[in-house]
Amino acid sequence: MLNLMRNCPKEAAHLRKELLIAARHIFATDLRQKFIPSIDKLFDEDLLIGKGITLDSIRPLAYSTLADLAHHVRQSLSLDVLIKAVNLFSKNVHDETLAVGIQTMSCKLLLNLVDCLRHHSEIEPQRSRAILSKLLKVFVKKFETIAKIQLPLIIQKCKGQSFCGPSTNSSSPASLSLINVPDLKEDQISNEPAKSSGTGIQWVNSVNVAEFRSLVKTLVGGVKTITWGFFNSKFQISDTGLPNHEKLFSPDILHSYIDLVHYAMEALDIYTINVNPNQQRTSGLISRSKEEKEVLEHFSGIFLMMHSQNFQEIFSTTIHFLVERIHKNQSLQVIANSFLANPTTSPLFATVLVEYLLDKMEEMGTNLERSNLYLRLFKLVFGSVSLFPVENEQMLRPHLHKIVIRSMELALISDEPYNYFLLLRALFRSIGGGSHDLLYQEFLPLLPNLLEGLNRLQSGFHKQHMRDLFVELCLTVPVRLSSLLPYLPMLMDPLVSALNGSPTLISQGLRTLELCVDNLQPDFLYDHIQPVRAALMQALWKTLRNQDNAALVAFRVLGKFGGGNRKMMVEPQILSYQKTEKPTISIVTYFQEYETPIDFPVDEAIESALRALGSNSTEQFYRRQSWEIIRCFLAAFISLDDEKHILLKLFTHVDFVESNIINSSTLQHKIENETVRGTHQTALIGMLVASATKDLRDSVCPVMAAVVRHYTMVAIAQQAGPFPQKVYQTANGVDPLVLIDALASCMGHEEKELCKPGIACMGIILDTATNIMGNKERACRLPIIQYLAEKMISLCYDRPWYSKVGGCQAIQFLCKHMSLRALFQNLFNFLKAFMFVLMDLEGDVSNGAIDITKNYMKTMLEICLSPISECYKNADLNDLQSKASYEVIHELVRHITSPNAIVREESMALLKHIGTLQSKTVSEVMDPHKDVLADIIPPKKHLLRHQPANAQIGLMDGNTFCTTLEPRLFTIGTICNASTALKIGRSQKFVYTSNKTLILFYAIISGNV
């Protein structure tokens, strides 16, 4: 047979094909054993296929026939023959002229030869290991080919895009060429004949998604088999006595496994290709096939059998890539799950992963997609602690402090703090089962500050879902009850909030309360409950009305309190009542059968309409009907009896442009009936809420603009023109300033989308006033504009952070659109409002409000303190700017020694910015106001030791700032001798040991040291 193959004419392709078919049948019988001595000759392609160009068509048949023979007799082959087989079929794996099925068959044969190489390792260990290493590189290189060239081409064609072709680099096989992929049809992509630029050969290459998936699966199985072969072969141990030396990979092999992670995890995206258009594969809900899950588990198994040192080296290097791949293909999370679910690799991979995630924590507050990914991975790490508590407690213990402290710190300054508290909740839930004593001991030092911070946050003004989360965190801190006893008073307010919250919080609160009742002495518990006794008992009694299991638990807890559950009966109850006997705004309805009319209260209807518009769960029909109610109510209140020509004559009167504007208190322009005014304000708020609703916006906005313009015109007619009124007088109706109150309510609302219609309405008010009054300067002198500025400033002094942000946005708008005169007159009040926001939000969760305020302050000063352009310049305006500048700089200089770090640092930054705007040094800017600091720099009247710690830090920081200015602002003289200075310096060590430079500096400037 070998002679027939050798003597067969090279142009007689049909004869060689018949010969190969006959050989295939012979190799299927026991006669194949006779070919073992001569099988090495069959691995010579010149003999097997011949040298004719036309013989390429029979190559797949020849290779499959030889593969069948080699597979059946592989146990009888020598190492030299095995090496020839590896060389030939390794080349076939990367031969793109062969069908994908032949490449897959070559991979299967190679992985079947691994066991034979393992047997030969007992005789020739070095050669066997070298062949295994070569096999690994072949498979990794094939993964690279799929990931970098073939897969992008398939994906782009599936998306219906034209593919320009990848640029092959030196690491890609030379035989790869560009493949033109036509339309995907029934899971099959067929190529047109392509030409190789190197050889001029034409071939048809079939690219089939199912075949590529089979190839990837075979490659993963092959690498797993090769890895098994490494650990089950006998290899010589070099001059080292380490028992595990043979299990450690050489750097060359280790590098191949690192490449495997990079390329194989990209090649696994072949399973993300949706070959069936009727099946949707979304990022939120992933439906994995059974085959995909098996492949991912096999891929994980490659690394599970490795030595722990090699495993850690590989994933310490590739963890960033691994997380990026999970972000793009969520199915790959199975790999991380497998590593964390294995007792050997779990602590190693968890350590690598948690260290990586800690470095990425800042991104959790800005990038929503990334934060969801990192939060999911954090949960995997925390879950592994419950799975393997002995190993993974030690893993998490050194990172526990950083996770908790960084989460609290970043939550205070990030735009999306919610994710950090979700992270803490995941941590608390994972380790709060009562079996992690090591972590509880590590957590104890954090407990006081953490409970204090969470308690302060839950009692503040935040959105409801945030408050619920704060309450849950307070009640689920992962420590034992005995450790919580000193801090029990801090749990009382969260406990009451939980019992009045959602069903989940009620269950959590009842569990916590029952735990306390069961394990604490009654007198001790009652003493701590005393401040919230009434609210707590009322919440328990209210829970009895629930229709779920919580009512039974509440009943049981009340029973355990005994007679104590009735002591609250003497406490004042929370009652709902009507403030007025008769509604002041009603629809009076007459019926023929009755003489007495019936009053239908409108205020309740308006409030219900506002609730419906503000709720996300309201159906579109009811939302539209709610807007109709509000629109009709506002239309009924607007009087349109005046004739058009009379109104035109009124508002074109010369007195609006020339006469003086009355300067009276805005309180004199308000009606006294608060109930009527409140209902009208609610309707206006409902109009603004409706304008922010997507499906109502088109119909609401024209009405809103008309209403705002009408109210503004009424206010202007009352406050200026030919008939100004010092006191608002009306028999029925509402003062137009109610519009400003409604705007302030929307700007201070927790839903920040309402700020957009609020800003638009302020723009309409200013434009309308400017058109009527002739210019913007006269318009800004109107009491309605002054009242608008006052209300927006007052928002900055409200407690909720979202009110402060709304006030800052409104002030920013006014700074850009008010006249310069009005801006200079209000600048000092604007600055004080901004400063209060910075001061009040220190240590509070504010969704990035501090950064927003800083940016607004900087923009405001750029508008106000920059040189006035020539077209607006006059002596009066220059004097106003000088006065406003003096007041602003004076206030900033006063704050550079503030105990509040944010205010202090921002004052210093703004002084430098003002110097830049005015082309002066900071010393020149501050020089007219240095008297403010005369007694502080250096401290003369008050010793540092007599001040609180934060005041000491502020004084020293201000001293440092002033004494390091160039040119010098202060000349420090000798005020005490060296011994006194040193004594003062030493006395501060217990206060501010973390900044010894400042303390030494204080000692130096205080005396002749």
Side-chain angles (χ1 to χ4, degrees):
M1 181 180 291
L2 293 176
N3 287 332
L4 287 174
M5 288 185 175
R6 188 179 297 112
N7 297 324
C8 181
K10 56 184 179 180
E11 68 277 1
H14 64 286
L15 294 178
R16 188 173 291 273
K17 184 176 181 180
E18 294 295 331
L19 189 57
L20 288 171
I21 293 173
R24 191 182 189 92
H25 288 294
I26 294 172
F27 294 157
T29 66
D30 292 338
L31 291 174
R32 58 176 172 259
Q33 299 295 329
K34 304 294 184 180
F35 287 87
I36 293 176
S38 304
I39 194 173
D40 59 326
K41 298 177 182 177
L42 290 174
F43 288 109
D44 182 1
E45 290 186 273
D46 291 342
L47 175 66
L48 184 66
I49 301 173
K51 298 181 180 181
I53 297 177
T54 59
L55 299 179
D56 275 347
S57 58
I58 64 171
R59 290 176 67 215
L61 175 63
Y63 291 137
S64 60
T65 303
L66 181 57
D68 286 342
L69 175 62
H71 172 71
H72 287 100
V73 300
R74 65 186 185 279
Q75 298 294 345
S76 305
L77 300 180
S78 65
L79 185 59
D80 291 330
V81 176
L82 289 174
I83 291 174
K84 286 187 178 182
V86 168
N87 288 335
L88 176 62
F89 286 99
S90 295
K91 186 171 65 174
N92 291 345
V93 168
H94 291 286
D95 192 343
E96 295 302 316
T97 62
L98 295 174
V100 178
I102 300 300
Q103 296 176 27
T104 305
M105 178 208 67
S106 300
C107 293
K108 289 180 178 179
L109 177 65
L110 291 175
L111 69 90
N112 286 330
L113 297 181
V114 172
D115 190 47
C116 303
L117 292 170
R118 182 182 66 84
H119 288 300
H120 284 285
S121 66
E122 297 180 359
I123 304 171
E124 298 183 80
Q126 294 302 323
R127 293 180 70 195
S128 299
R129 189 178 183 89
I131 295 300
L132 285 176
S133 178
K134 179 180 178 179
L135 280 177
L136 176 64
K137 291 179 180 178
V138 168
F139 278 56
V140 171
K141 189 61 70 174
K142 186 60 182 177
F143 272 124
E144 182 181 3
T145 305
I146 295 172
K148 298 301 181 184
I149 296 180
Q150 293 165 336
L151 184 61
L153 190 135
I154 297 172
I155 292 175
Q156 292 212 10
K157 192 59 186 178
C158 288
K159 291 179 179 179
Q161 299 174 357
S162 60
F163 187 65
C164 299
S167 58
T168 55
N169 53 29
S170 59
S171 62
S172 301
S175 61
L176 289 176
S177 62
L178 304 186
I179 305 173
N180 293 319
V181 183
D183 296 333
L184 187 68
K185 189 174 182 181
E186 295 182 357
D187 199 21
Q188 174 88 16
I189 305 176
S190 301
N191 280 355
E192 296 295 330
K195 292 187 178 181
S196 171
S197 58
T199 61
I201 301 174
Q202 292 186 349
W203 67 85
V204 176
N205 193 348
S206 176
V207 180
N208 185 301
V209 175
E211 286 184 354
F212 265 99
R213 288 179 177 177
S214 176
L215 175 59
V216 169
K217 182 178 180 180
T218 305
L219 288 170
V220 170
V223 176
K224 187 176 181 181
T225 305
I226 293 168
T227 308
W228 171 84
F230 276 122
F231 290 110
N232 289 275
S233 301
K234 300 294 182 182
F235 298 122
Q236 289 181 352
I237 301 176
S238 57
D239 302 332
T240 177
L242 294 176
N244 291 328
H245 176 75
E246 62 183 42
K247 293 185 177 181
L248 289 173
F249 292 136
S250 64
D252 186 42
I253 297 177
L254 202 62
H255 189 269
S256 296
Y257 277 106
I258 291 173
D259 288 342
L260 173 70
V261 174
H262 283 94
Y263 300 128
M265 292 191 73
E266 287 189 25
L268 287 169
D269 283 353
I270 190 72
Y271 289 98
T272 64
I273 297 176
N274 188 6
V275 294
N276 186 354
N278 296 324
Q279 293 179 357
Q280 295 295 324
R281 183 186 181 100
T282 61
S283 59
L285 184 62
I286 301 173
S287 55
R288 288 191 298 269
S289 65
K290 183 178 178 182
E291 180 187 1
E292 180 182 9
K293 191 174 180 181
E294 287 178 359
V295 171
L296 292 172
E297 289 175 351
H298 284 307
F299 182 76
S300 306
I302 295 171
F303 303 96
L304 294 179
M305 65 179 75
M306 286 184 181
H307 190 274
S308 57
Q309 182 177 333
N310 291 144
F311 179 89
Q312 191 160 13
E313 287 180 18
I314 290 170
F315 287 101
S316 296
T317 307
T318 60
I319 185 63
H320 175 72
F321 178 80
L322 175 64
V323 174
E324 289 296 316
R325 290 305 307 153
I326 293 175
H327 175 61
K328 294 176 182 176
N329 180 4
Q330 294 186 27
S331 299
L332 299 179
Q333 189 176 315
V334 172
I335 298 169
N337 293 348
S338 300
F339 293 157
L340 292 171
N342 183 278
T344 305
T345 59
S346 183
L348 300 173
F349 186 72
T351 301
V352 172
L353 183 57
V354 78
E355 287 176 353
Y356 173 82
L357 293 174
L358 284 172
D359 292 337
K360 297 292 182 180
M361 280 188 69
E362 289 188 14
E363 294 184 28
M364 292 180 64
T366 53
N367 190 323
L368 183 60
E369 290 186 5
R370 292 281 176 177
S371 63
N372 291 335
L373 169 66
Y374 296 152
L375 187 61
R376 204 163 64 242
L377 294 176
F378 263 122
K379 287 180 179 179
L380 289 180
V381 174
F382 299 153
S384 70
V385 177
S386 302
L387 202 57
F388 305 108
V390 177
E391 298 88 352
N392 286 347
E393 272 191 46
Q394 297 289 352
M395 171 276 301
L396 188 59
R397 186 178 181 181
H399 305 294
L400 189 64
H401 275 228
K402 188 172 182 181
I403 292 173
V404 175
I405 293 172
R406 287 285 290 164
S407 294
M408 293 298 289
E409 288 176 350
L410 292 171
L412 299 180
I413 60 175
S414 66
D415 296 338
E416 295 292 337
Y418 188 59
N419 298 315
Y420 295 107
F421 296 109
L422 288 178
L423 174 60
L424 288 179
R425 183 175 71 176
L427 175 64
F428 291 0
R429 286 180 174 180
S430 297
I431 66 176
S435 58
H436 304 289
D437 288 328
L438 282 176
L439 296 179
Y440 297 158
Q441 293 300 321
E442 196 71 19
F443 199 86
L444 277 179
L446 301 171
L447 190 58
N449 291 334
L450 181 64
L451 271 180
E452 182 184 354
L454 291 174
N455 206 35
R456 184 179 67 252
L457 291 173
Q458 72 88 24
S459 62
F461 286 86
H462 296 279
K463 295 182 180 180
Q464 190 58 45
H465 68 279
M466 289 284 284
R467 293 190 72 249
D468 290 348
L469 188 52
F470 296 148
V471 170
E472 182 179 348
L473 289 174
C474 287
L475 298 181
T476 56
V477 284
V479 292
R480 299 195 180 281
L481 181 61
S482 57
S483 304
L484 273 176
L485 293 182
Y487 315 106
L488 205 57
M490 293 186 186
L491 295 181
M492 292 298 109
D493 283 336
L495 194 56
V496 173
S497 298
L499 293 176
N500 287 296
S502 62
T504 305
L505 279 180
I506 290 174
S507 300
Q508 182 63 52
L510 288 172
R511 284 198 301 270
T512 305
L513 183 58
E514 189 170 19
L515 181 68
C516 294
V517 173
D518 290 342
N519 293 279
L520 300 179
Q521 290 293 331
D523 293 340
F524 177 81
L525 180 61
Y526 291 157
D527 288 343
H528 286 87
I529 286 179
Q530 188 62 32
V532 296
R533 183 184 65 182
L536 183 67
M537 291 301 174
Q538 286 177 20
L540 279 174
W541 284 102
K542 187 180 73 173
T543 308
L544 292 178
R545 303 190 189 102
N546 293 0
Q547 300 299 317
D548 52 12
N549 188 54
L552 299 176
V553 180
F555 193 78
R556 188 167 67 238
V557 173
L558 283 170
K560 291 179 179 180
F561 270 113
N565 61 29
R566 295 184 295 278
K567 289 182 180 179
M568 48 73 66
M569 295 298 183
V570 297
E571 302 288 346
Q573 302 296 299
I574 301 174
L575 302 175
S576 58
Y577 60 94
Q578 295 290 340
K579 294 182 179 180
T580 56
E581 184 177 352
K582 182 181 178 181
T584 52
I585 302 181
S586 302
I587 298 176
V588 182
T589 309
Y590 293 89
F591 295 92
Q592 293 181 357
E593 294 83 0
Y594 299 96
E595 295 181 359
T596 306
I598 297 176
D599 295 342
F600 291 100
V602 176
D603 51 351
E604 293 183 9
I606 298 298
E607 290 173 3
S608 298
L610 177 59
R611 284 195 298 271
L613 287 169
S615 174
N616 293 327
S617 59
T618 305
E619 295 180 10
Q620 184 176 356
F621 171 79
Y622 293 108
R623 189 179 286 118
R624 191 169 292 280
Q625 295 304 311
S626 299
W627 159 238
E628 285 298 316
I629 291 173
I630 290 174
R631 184 183 66 82
C632 294
F633 174 83
L634 292 174
F637 257 85
I638 294 176
S639 175
L640 298 175
D641 298 335
D642 299 308
E643 295 181 4
K644 183 177 180 181
H645 71 278
I646 296 177
L647 287 176
L648 285 173
K649 189 174 180 180
L650 171 65
F651 285 107
T652 55
H653 198 280
V654 69
D655 285 348
F656 283 108
V657 182
E658 296 178 356
S659 297
N660 292 330
I661 300 169
I662 63 170
N663 187 14
S664 60
S665 172
T666 52
L667 295 175
Q668 296 176 348
H669 291 271
K670 290 186 177 182
I671 65 170
E672 296 180 357
N673 194 329
E674 292 294 332
T675 306
V676 173
R677 202 172 187 278
T679 303
H680 202 90
Q681 181 177 331
T682 304
L684 289 171
I685 294 172
M687 177 185 70
L688 294 168
V689 172
S691 69
T693 306
K694 189 175 180 180
D695 51 348
L696 297 177
R697 189 174 297 148
D698 293 339
S699 59
V700 175
C701 286
V703 177
M704 181 181 72
V707 168
V708 172
R709 196 173 291 113
H710 179 85
Y711 278 51
T712 306
M713 292 168 67
V714 172
I716 294 171
Q718 293 172 357
Q719 298 168 3
F723 312 111
Q725 299 177 0
K726 290 189 176 182
V727 180
Y728 182 73
Q729 297 175 349
T730 181
N732 53 8
V734 180
D735 61 277
L737 295 183
V738 68
L739 173 65
I740 307 301
D741 294 333
L743 284 178
S745 298
C746 284
M747 293 300 296
H749 197 271
E750 66 179 28
E751 185 55 60
K752 299 322 294 177
E753 282 296 313
L754 294 182
C755 288
K756 295 178 181 178
I759 294 291
C761 289
M762 286 194 289
I764 294 172
I765 292 171
L766 279 171
D767 290 343
T768 305
T770 302
N771 291 335
I772 294 175
M773 301 302 292
N775 57 59
K776 189 176 288 187
E777 186 171 313
R778 283 182 58 81
C780 291
R781 289 167 56 192
L782 288 168
I784 186 174
I785 304 297
Q786 296 173 11
Y787 184 62
L788 175 65
E790 291 171 7
K791 289 295 292 184
M792 298 309 159
I793 289 173
S794 68
L795 285 177
C796 295
Y797 293 92
D798 288 350
R799 279 193 63 192
W801 65 267
Y802 41 82
S803 294
K804 290 179 167 61
V805 172
C808 291
Q809 289 181 348
I811 291 174
Q812 171 79 346
F813 175 83
L814 292 176
C815 287
K816 291 182 176 180
H817 295 87
M818 289 177 79
S819 66
L820 283 176
R821 181 182 297 276
L823 185 53
F824 292 149
Q825 290 170 344
N826 289 282
L827 181 60
F828 183 61
N829 291 329
F830 289 165
L831 180 77
K832 286 201 299 183
F834 281 140
M835 282 295 185
F836 180 82
V837 171
L838 295 180
M839 189 180 304
D840 202 45
L841 289 181
E842 186 184 37
D844 197 5
V845 173
S846 57
N847 291 64
I850 291 176
D851 291 335
I852 293 172
T853 306
K854 288 179 179 180
N855 292 332
Y856 287 169
M857 288 176 72
K858 190 174 180 181
T859 305
M860 180 182 72
L861 293 182
E862 288 174 355
I863 296 171
C864 299
L865 301 185
S866 297
I868 302 173
S869 61
E870 293 296 331
C871 57
Y872 297 109
K873 211 166 202 180
N874 60 63
D876 189 24
L877 205 57
N878 285 336
D879 291 343
L880 278 175
Q881 186 185 33
S882 300
K883 181 184 176 183
S885 177
Y886 182 88
E887 290 175 342
V888 165
I889 296 172
H890 186 86
E891 184 73 7
L892 293 176
V893 169
R894 197 171 63 83
H895 281 302
I896 64 170
T897 56
S898 170
N900 188 294
I902 297 175
V903 172
R904 184 173 64 247
E905 292 169 3
E906 186 61 17
S907 298
M908 296 174 184
L910 289 177
L911 285 170
K912 294 176 182 177
H913 190 58
I914 291 172
T916 304
L917 292 174
Q918 298 181 344
S919 301
K920 297 179 181 178
T921 64
V922 180
S923 299
E924 291 173 339
V925 172
M926 294 177 61
D927 189 64
H929 312 273
K930 62 189 299 184
D931 293 343
V932 180
L933 305 172
D935 294 333
I936 303 175
I937 302 176
K940 296 175 183 177
K941 291 186 177 180
H942 307 287
L943 292 177
L944 282 181
R945 69 168 70 96
H946 297 155
Q947 305 297 321
N950 57 349
Q952 292 186 36
I953 296 170
L955 287 169
M956 290 188 288
D957 207 3
N959 270 275
T960 305
F961 178 75
C962 291
T963 53
T964 54
L965 292 175
E966 291 294 339
R968 295 179 71 98
L969 184 64
F970 290 95
T971 303
I972 306 300
T974 303
I975 62 171
C976 61
N977 57 32
S979 60
T980 306
L982 288 173
K983 181 179 179 181
I984 294 172
R986 291 191 191 100
S987 68
Q988 310 309 318
K989 290 181 182 177
F990 73 99
V991 175
Y992 197 56
T993 54
S994 64
N995 198 336
K996 297 179 180 178
T997 305
L998 284 178
I999 293 174
L1000 179 60
F1001 165 74
Y1002 172 72
I1004 292 173
I1005 67 170
S1006 300
N1008 188 11
V1009 178

